[in-house]
Amino acid sequence: MPRTLALPLALRRRLPLVTAAALGLSLLLPREGRAQQGEPQVRVLLLESAAATVSGLAGGLRLRDGRGTVLAETAAGQPLSLRLSAAQVEAQGLMRPVVAYELWIEPLSQAGGDGALAVENRRYRGRLQVLPGASQLQLINHLGVESYLPSVVGSEMPASWPLEALRAQAVAARTYALQQRKPEAPFDLRATVASQAYKGVEAETPSTWEAVRGTRTLVITYRQALINAVFHSSSGGSTENSGELWARQLPYLVSVSDFDEQSPVRVWRQPLPPEQLQRAFAEIGGASRIEVLSSSSTGRVRQARVLGPRGQLLLSGADLRRRLGLRSTTVRFEPLGTEALGLPSLGADPQGQAAWGGAARTRWPLAVDSASGAPLPGPPPLPDVFAPAAAPITGLVAIGRGFGHGVGMSQWGAFGLARRGEGFEAILRHFYQGVEVGPFRESVAQLSSLPSSAGSPAASPTATTFRIPTVIANRQP
């Protein structure tokens, strides 16, 4: 449902005017985080809630309505309580409550202040727009993309990682944010991994600021259009073709080798006790077995069958991952009871023959008489690993590789390549095949929204470059 349907008709009719007036408000940011003229803006949904607390820091807050009229100001540190009231935003904690159909909150910077505001005790740069919905408020952070990125880089990667990996993350995050802008929607991005993680000022560090400054304005393009610069933690050896998991195969999102050998989740095991299986597959009473029916070329589950006491389910790999909380869909399942019996499981196969497919092998040699060499009577035949006879199956164990969807840039792979001495551009060109890295142009953003049938249109002769000085520190050739 469009966001404006929850607003009174008279307000909906003037929304374009309201938005234009509101966007003209000046940003009050510190020098390092201030949006320069011409810098693209992004709108990030921080919170959806029926109530929220916002406070100023060094210099208090200024409140405006959607037309830009100043409604009130607060002292430094003074909290505001926001709540939904009759399809409007009500701000309490002032001399008298302020009620508006659209509320803008901006920090008042003072000498020595950082010009940030706090939402639920987390600090953010830029301004805050508060919109009423049917049952919740939407708190949307408006700020320049170059002020947004230092927090994203620090939220997505450890700030102690090699600078070239941080730079690769900065360019990928900038490209993703600009490609995701939606002028017709109330916001462009979410502050969670549903878009890309954004934890505010606390996630910024000197190294993340250096990574952003050292790649300022740079984005990734394919045939003059911004790419969909998706990324993930670790692929487990090979990234995935986008068309094998999603509806469309993009030419730059193809499977390549990963360099994530140092990833702690390159290989993992996750026990799935009966209680969890019963919650995950309540409609069939739990799961006694999960069979992988089809996989992608790199081994990610595309479809699986879950067998339970009251029937069976056919699920996609993504749905299976969601229900079980798996790190990735590169996974297979074994009975948890095999470990209780002390039997070798497929994932523990020291030769790797059975771990991801392959012939079965003898588990241990037969005993022989030391004098004659004749075989001694051996133990009874071992039960099958998948159906141990000596004990009931008490659950399952998931054995997998990687963390995330596996498409695009692997963050642990970027770490590995940076440790090998590769620069950020080489890292990006490895994970996004056939792309270019260069300064952002607004015409590029417009091209990126064209349908795939549009081909490769030439850049507009009237295109305006994002005119902010580009400084690439220690740029790799």
Side-chain angles (χ1 to χ4, degrees), residues 109-170:
S109 59
Q110 294 181 346
D114 65 2
L117 51 80
V119 178
E120 300 294 329
N121 298 317
R122 180 170 283 176
R123 294 182 295 156
Y124 298 94
R125 303 190 186 279
R127 299 174 293 153
L128 190 66
Q129 181 187 23
V130 187
L131 295 174
S135 60
Q136 294 182 316
L137 298 174
Q138 289 184 327
L139 280 69
I140 304 165
N141 188 196
H142 290 235
L143 74 168
V145 68
E146 303 296 328
S147 301
Y148 162 71
L149 289 172
S151 174
V152 173
V153 174
S155 301
E156 286 284 356
M157 269 188 179
S160 59
W161 276 17
L163 182 58
E164 293 304 306
L166 298 177
R167 286 174 171 166
Q169 180 67 69

Side-chain angles (χ1 to χ4, degrees), residues 34 44 61 123 141 154 184 212 248 354 373 388 412:
R34 186 178 299 135
V44 188
L61 300 171
R123 294 182 295 156
N141 188 196
E184 73 286 352
V212 173
R248 183 182 173 196
W412 275 100

Side-chain angles (χ1 to χ4, degrees), residues 79 88 115 129 312 317:
Q88 298 183 79
Q129 181 187 23
Q312 58 181 288

Side-chain angles (χ1 to χ4, degrees), residues 115-277:
L117 51 80
V119 178
E120 300 294 329
N121 298 317
R122 180 170 283 176
R123 294 182 295 156
Y124 298 94
R125 303 190 186 279
R127 299 174 293 153
L128 190 66
Q129 181 187 23
V130 187
L131 295 174
S135 60
Q136 294 182 316
L137 298 174
Q138 289 184 327
L139 280 69
I140 304 165
N141 188 196
H142 290 235
L143 74 168
V145 68
E146 303 296 328
S147 301
Y148 162 71
L149 289 172
S151 174
V152 173
V153 174
S155 301
E156 286 284 356
M157 269 188 179
S160 59
W161 276 17
L163 182 58
E164 293 304 306
L166 298 177
R167 286 174 171 166
Q169 180 67 69
V171 178
R174 182 184 292 110
T175 306
Y176 181 84
L178 295 175
Q179 197 266 348
Q180 291 291 309
R181 290 188 298 172
K182 311 173 189 71
E184 73 286 352
F187 58 88
D188 306 312
L189 302 150
R190 295 180 182 270
T192 68
V193 292
S195 296
Q196 50 191 9
Y198 171 55
K199 298 179 181 178
V201 174
E202 281 74 15
E204 300 174 4
T205 69
S207 63
T208 67
W209 270 104
E210 184 176 356
V212 173
R213 285 194 299 262
T215 61
R216 194 171 186 88
T217 82
L218 294 184
V219 292
I220 314 165
T221 60
Y222 182 84
R223 295 185 178 180
Q224 304 176 53
L226 289 174
I227 72 166
N228 185 13
V230 292
F231 48 86
H232 59 281
S233 174
S234 169
S235 75
S238 296
T239 67
E240 185 60 276
N241 297 305
S242 61
E244 295 204 56
L245 294 186
W246 301 334
R248 183 182 173 196
Q249 175 60 56
L250 295 172
Y252 50 84
L253 292 179
V254 296
S255 179
V256 297
S257 58
D258 202 350
F259 294 84
D260 62 344
E261 294 86 357
Q262 297 185 59
S263 167
V265 288
R266 195 170 197 265
V267 179
W268 49 266
R269 300 173 69 88
Q270 179 179 334
L272 303 171
E275 298 80 11
Q276 180 180 353
L277 296 172

Side-chain angles (χ1 to χ4, degrees), residues 29-113:
L29 293 176
R31 180 182 305 172
E32 190 171 42
R34 186 178 299 135
Q36 300 187 29
Q37 185 176 4
E39 179 181 343
Q41 302 289 295
V42 291
R43 302 167 301 158
V44 188
L45 178 66
L46 302 179
L47 182 66
E48 287 184 293
S49 176
T53 300
V54 179
S55 61
L57 299 172
L61 300 171
R62 177 177 291 132
L63 281 65
R64 300 178 187 264
D65 63 17
R67 295 184 178 276
T69 303
V70 176
L71 303 176
E73 292 186 357
T74 72
Q78 179 181 347
L80 287 176
S81 296
L82 306 178
R83 70 182 186 94
L84 185 65
S85 176
Q88 298 183 79
V89 183
E90 180 177 328
Q92 298 179 335
L94 303 161
M95 293 288 292
R96 60 178 182 274
V98 168
V99 180
Y101 288 114
E102 179 182 11
L103 189 64
W104 287 81
I105 304 174
E106 60 192 39
L108 296 174
S109 59
Q110 294 181 346

